[in-house]
């Protein structure tokens, strides 16, 4: 498995600004995503580190991986401000530079839409999680409204949105992908972020077990 090179200089700068603006709406969801975690936690596609401030004190160490150089530099700054220990590394979601069964939990937030091969990413997450450990996910997913889903399919096929948004796809059924990778979904619920007519709507937040 060759690590994909991830370089999206324009999107990375846009996202860095946008993520700050979204924090009022998204901060509470990030706290919910991470609540109750403990031990050694892996976060893939950590972006500019918007989750770091929300990790609870029960976490011993966050292994945060981000392949995009500009966002990784911002994540390194955010790690210094975090209340828990955060180490930022340069790696994509697959292959993961970690031993098998070496983390107590893993986190994906707004990442499984973007990785080129979500099944490869999920297989790697499952490999490094201890048996029965939690995958916490917060992702935007394919709409169950047929008309909206058709627009999302078209958008992914046309490559317009993926090119504009750093590889993001709108039409992925991520909960089904998590199950297909062998995880057991423990909880999942929909939530809205941004306008309901938006192409990256709706979102899900949940917990799956390896
Ligand atoms: C929309 S951003 C989300 C960032 C962060 N997780 C958050 O919640 O704010 C998507 C992230 O996925 C990263 N990414 C892109 N391709 C990736 C890959 N193959 N493996 C891991 N992360 C990737 C991007 O660099 C970016 O940081």
């Amino acid at each position: 498995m060759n690590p994909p090179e991830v370089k999206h200089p324009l999107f990375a700068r846009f996202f860095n600004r946008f993520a700050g603006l979204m924090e009022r709406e998204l901060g509470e969801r990030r706290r919910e995503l991470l609540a109750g975690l403990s031990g050694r936690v892996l976060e893939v596609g950590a972006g500019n580190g918007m989750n770091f401030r929300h990790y609870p004190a029960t976490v011993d160490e966050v292994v945060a991986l981000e392949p995009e150089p500009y966002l990784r530099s911002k994540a390194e700054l955010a790690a210094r401000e975090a209340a828990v220990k955060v180490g930022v590394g340069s790696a994509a979601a697959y292959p993961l530079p970690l031993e098998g069964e070496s983390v107590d939990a893993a986190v994906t937030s707004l990442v499984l839409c973007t990785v080129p091969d979500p099944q490869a990413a999920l297989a790697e997450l499952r490999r490094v999680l201890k048996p029965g450990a939690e995958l916490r996910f917060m992702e935007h997913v394919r709409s169950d409204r047929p008309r909206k889903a058709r627009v999302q399919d078209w958008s992914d096929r046309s490559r317009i949105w993926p090119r504009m948004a750093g590889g993001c796809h709108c039409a992925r059924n991520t909960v089904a992908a998590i199950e297909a990778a062998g995880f057991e979904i423990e909880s999942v619920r929909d939530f809205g972020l941004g306008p309901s007519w938006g192409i990256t709507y709706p979102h899900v937040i949940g917990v799956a077990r390896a």
Side-chain angles (χ1 to χ4, degrees), residues 4 6 8 11 15 19 30 43-48 50-51 66-68 71 91-94 109-111 114-116 138 166:
V6 180
H8 298 293
F11 171 73
F15 182 78
R30 292 187 188 278
E43 181 176 341
V44 293
N48 57 348
M50 294 305 289
N51 280 331
E66 171 52 50
E68 208 291 325
L71 288 172
Y94 55 91
S109 71
L110 311 173
V111 169
T114 294
V115 297
M138 176 174 76

Side-chain angles (χ1 to χ4, degrees), residues 93-153:
Y94 55 91
L96 287 171
L98 279 93
E99 301 271 302
E101 302 186 5
S102 61
V103 297
D104 299 297
V107 173
T108 72
S109 71
L110 311 173
V111 169
L112 293 173
C113 55
T114 294
V115 297
D117 183 345
Q119 285 311 140
L122 286 160
E124 273 294 84
L125 287 167
R126 197 143 178 262
R127 178 183 69 78
V128 302
L129 280 165
K130 293 178 183 169
E134 288 182 343
L135 170 67
R136 301 281 184 99
F137 57 93
M138 176 174 76
E139 300 287 344
H140 64 78
V141 293
R142 182 188 180 82
S143 174
D144 52 16
R145 287 165 40 209
R147 229 168 117 184
K148 173 75 164 278
R150 276 200 297 278
V151 175
Q152 291 174 324
D153 282 336

Side-chain angles (χ1 to χ4, degrees), residues 52-85:
F52 297 170
R53 73 188 75 164
H54 299 298
Y55 279 98
T58 40
V59 167
D60 296 326
E61 180 194 2
V62 179
V63 178
L65 301 177
E66 171 52 50
E68 208 291 325
Y70 179 81
L71 288 172
R72 189 171 58 253
S73 70
K74 297 295 176 189
E76 282 160 359
L77 295 177
R80 288 191 215 151
E81 306 289 315
V84 302
K85 182 179 163 200

